Amino acid sequence: MSRESKETGTRVQMDKAITKEQGIGRMHAGVSVGATALTDADIGAKLVDEGSAGGASGSESRRGDHGGRRPSMVKGAAILGVAVILGKLLGTLQKIPLQNLAGDRVFGIYNAVYPFYQLLLAAATAGVPVAVSIMVAEQAAVGGRRAVYRTLQVSTLLLAVAGVAGFGLMWAGADPIARWIGDPAASRAIRASALALWVVPVMAALRGYYQGLGRMLPTAVSQLAEQTVRVAAMLSLLVTGLALDWSDGMLAAGATAGSAAGGMAGLAVLTWLWAREQRKVDDRRALAAEEGAIEKRGGRRIARRLIGLAVPVTLGALALPVLGVVDSLSVPPLLTAGGMSGAEAMAQFGLYSRGQPLVQLVVMIAGAVGGALVHGLVSARAQGDEAAARAQAALAMKGAWWIGSGAACGLVLLAPAMNRMLYADEAATTTFALVGLGAVAGTVSAIAAAVLQGVGVVRAPALYMLAAAALKAALNAAIVPAYGIAGAAGAGLAALGAAALLSAAAVRRACAARMPARSLAGLVLALAVMAAALTVLERAAYPALLEWLPPRAAATALALGGTGLGAALFLAAGLRFGGVSARDVRALPGGAKLAARLRRLQLLPPGD
């Protein structure tokens, strides 16, 4: 009986740990929904960092090394975070040389096709790595090595089957999808992007396994390998294709094929690490003894639990790719219905997509900042300190509005210079500016989604984004025929703005998070200072730069110099006018030292 009681107690402890881990997993899935793609690595890193301490308490008491393990896990999460940011930076900025080398039509095909791949990839993989992390963490906590391996086997099989199914859908549906988006030349790019679904889902299972063990370095290395090889393969195929005079459809296929090359590289890294570790396992008899018990349980029970944990995360992760698919299925066909050829419409779609990499970069940075702030919110709620949780939620939302507004202001005012710097001309600068203005909506949605998930509001962020997708489709149909890609950009601004406002209102209801009037006034004044400085800089400095430099070099100097100057003035004015208080600064990691330094520079108002 005593043994049964002990086992019952262990199961109760594990259930508590699982509940905590699921909540944290859902929270970071929300970051994925809002931030355009924070990957499963971001989710798993935070999940393990927060959840393993609770889920592993039993094993730590046996090993007696809990105090030494925690710093290493924090370090591992930091390593993974840096790798994720670098990988996303590569993945975002690789679109710029694609347009520079291949032109707007190829760029348009790439941006029209890629959302379909993202949608199927999210459906196949978004939730399972989180589920694997949860199950592996709990099994490792009680020493079940064979159970860990069995979970990896089942998850790998599930994801492999899902990936092959997604590949089949994209490969067989390439011609119809290409007709739907208005350019038959896109079919090759659709099939080339489908190749990645053979390998990326299996790689995701291995990442979830390592994250569940609290080991972030394998995932970090595989992410960097994946993105580096992906960009290198894309550029190599583009250069080769241009030398061989490939068609635009073939060039776009070469660009999308980079995802498969990157996936193979990332999988190769993880497979090599796994194989090397298996050679070091020497306790074969213990594993064999466990295997019998695990095999009796069978893989179906593991599969059911994996699916149960994965479905909520997957549904949330589908929302943002749906928004991209709406554009792909509506904007080019509406342009062709207005009299353009398929090639002309796709070139226009390429122009429409020019501002998106910069907006994605802003949202990525905001998502990283928001994740750090929401970490404090979750910790405060776990300790029962609701006042501190509300303060963290308010700070996170204030950061969202400040980061998003400052970035949007800079992107709008420097749009001509940035357009020429990145893409060699100023075509569709109005559309570029409208897309850039969406940075504020994207940033607010990203951080609000993280806050809402952190307080247990799981479904709202995904529902808001799905509603935004429906609104975007309706507005595209109404506006694009008359205003073209500028209308599409305006429709996106309205749809994402609606989602951002709904998310911000939900945070206010859930957390009573409000922006004080002084902070709002400081934000308006800081934006005014920034706008005035950038307007003067553009009108006075740019003509002088053109006398000494070629147009693209002059635009580069203006864009980079204006970005630095605008950001510095925006932050200085925000601090000096009281929009950002000393208390806000001290709430940041390392904020006490930063606040003291800012006070010495007289950037914080006296007595604040």
Side-chain angles (χ1 to χ4, degrees), residues 62 77 128 185 205 215 222 279 312 316 335 365 376 414 452 460 507 571:
R62 289 196 310 270
V128 174
R215 297 176 55 194
S222 73
R279 290 195 295 269
L335 293 174
I365 295 169
L414 295 173
L452 288 171
V507 171
L571 292 174

Side-chain angles (χ1 to χ4, degrees), residues 36-37 85-97 107 110 227 230-231 355-362 364 423:
T36 312
I85 290 172
L86 290 175
K88 285 186 174 295
L89 189 63
L90 283 172
T92 299
L93 298 183
Q94 55 94 20
K95 295 180 180 180
I96 295 168
F107 191 52
Y110 178 92
Q227 292 297 335
R230 176 189 171 196
V231 173
Q356 292 175 3
L358 295 180
V359 173
Q360 290 168 0
L361 190 60
V362 171
M364 178 191 75
Y423 302 110

Side-chain angles (χ1 to χ4, degrees), residues 274-342:
W274 165 262
R276 189 180 68 168
E277 290 171 5
Q278 295 314 293
R279 290 195 295 269
K280 296 180 180 180
V281 175
D282 54 2
D283 197 355
R284 303 291 179 183
R285 285 180 295 179
L287 290 177
E290 289 182 30
E291 182 173 2
I294 299 299
E295 292 298 336
K296 288 179 183 178
R297 185 172 66 177
R300 291 185 180 179
R301 181 177 170 186
I302 297 174
R304 284 196 297 270
R305 182 142 189 263
L306 282 170
I307 293 171
L309 292 173
V311 166
V313 178
T314 301
L315 292 176
L318 291 176
L320 204 61
V322 167
L323 197 61
V325 169
V326 165
D327 263 344
S328 297
L329 290 177
S330 60
V331 176
L334 287 169
L335 293 174
T336 55
M340 292 186 186
S341 67

Side-chain angles (χ1 to χ4, degrees), residues 130-184:
V130 178
V132 173
S133 296
I134 293 172
M135 293 184 66
V136 167
E138 70 185 58
Q139 291 159 351
V142 295
R145 285 182 293 175
R146 186 62 199 178
V148 168
Y149 296 153
R150 184 62 173 158
T151 297
L152 176 61
Q153 290 172 354
V154 174
S155 63
T156 301
L157 179 61
L158 276 176
L159 286 175
V161 170
V164 171
F167 166 81
L169 284 173
M170 284 195 76
W171 192 271
D175 291 330
I177 293 171
R179 287 195 297 271
W180 293 340
I181 65 177
D183 193 343

